[in-house]
Structures are given as C-alpha cells and as structure tokens.
C-alpha cells in the first residue's frame, strides 16, 4: 500500500513524498520517494515517466518532513529516494532517481569490482 503526502512551498511549487514497496530479490523493503514539481499532477507524471506506473497520491496522511523537503530542494534533479530506515537503524542517505532505476546486479558488480 502506498502512503504519502505533499507540502506546498512559498514559490507555489509542491514537494510530494510517497512510501512505496520495492521487491528486490528475496528481500522486501519500502522506499521513500520525494519529487519537486510545479503541482501534484506533474510530480506524479514525473514518477510515471520513470516507470513507476501505478503511483497515486490519495490524501495527505504522510506529508514530507522539513528535512525531506530540504533534501529534495537542494538536489539538482528534484527527485530523490532512500530506503525507509528501521526504527533502530542508522539513517540512510538520499539517492538520485537514476540509482533507483539501475538493475541490482549492476550495482552489486560495481561494489564488488570497485
């Protein structure tokens, strides 16, 4: 199930935050995706253009925190993601969208190969 929300910025743009399930091999995890756009519809269109076709925003139950808004505003692409941390885990770093779309095997090979 998708959870998310949005925050309107003083310049009129919005930051949309979505929590999405991601299945990578045997493990299943949730990721948090942040998008900055001129309005909510354009933010969702940006995600759909990246291949996340079944992304919808219903309500504002999980709006972005001030730290999340700062992260996406300071990223040149205006689109970042990270794995939702477990309550006891250390905070994960925000990643650009291109890291989300790379195949896991390529990422594993890059880490192993150096």
């Amino acid at each position: 199930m998708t959870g998310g929300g949005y925050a309107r910025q003083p310049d009129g743009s919005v930051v949309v935050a979505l929590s999405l399930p991601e299945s990578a091999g045997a493990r299943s995890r949730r990721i948090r995706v942040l998008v900055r756009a001129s309005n909510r519809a354009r933010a969702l269109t940006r995600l759909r253009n990246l291949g996340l076709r079944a992304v919808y925003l219903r309500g504002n139950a999980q709006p972005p925190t001030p730290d999340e808004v700062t992260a996406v505003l300071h990223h040149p692409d205006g689109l970042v993601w990270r794995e939702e941390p477990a309550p006891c885990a250390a905070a994960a770093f925000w990643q650009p969208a291109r890291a989300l779309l790379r195949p896991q095997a390529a990422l594993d090979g890059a880490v192993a190969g150096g």
Side-chain angles (χ1 to χ4, degrees), residues 24-97:
R27 64 183 189 168
S28 181
R29 61 184 180 164
R30 293 188 66 79
I31 59 171
R32 182 85 163 165
V33 180
L34 301 173
V35 184
R36 181 180 185 210
S38 59
N39 58 43
R40 286 179 287 170
R42 287 186 188 261
L44 295 175
T45 299
R46 286 188 71 190
L47 291 173
R48 290 181 186 126
N49 288 343
L50 290 173
L52 302 171
R53 299 285 184 215
V55 175
Y56 297 97
L57 181 62
R58 293 187 177 99
N60 199 18
Q62 297 175 346
T65 65
D67 289 337
E68 290 176 335
V69 171
T70 301
V72 76
L73 290 178
H74 285 89
H75 194 274
D77 294 337
L79 179 60
V80 295
W81 71 278
R82 74 174 176 189
E83 186 174 347
E84 285 189 346
C88 298
F93 293 109
W94 291 103
Q95 305 290 322

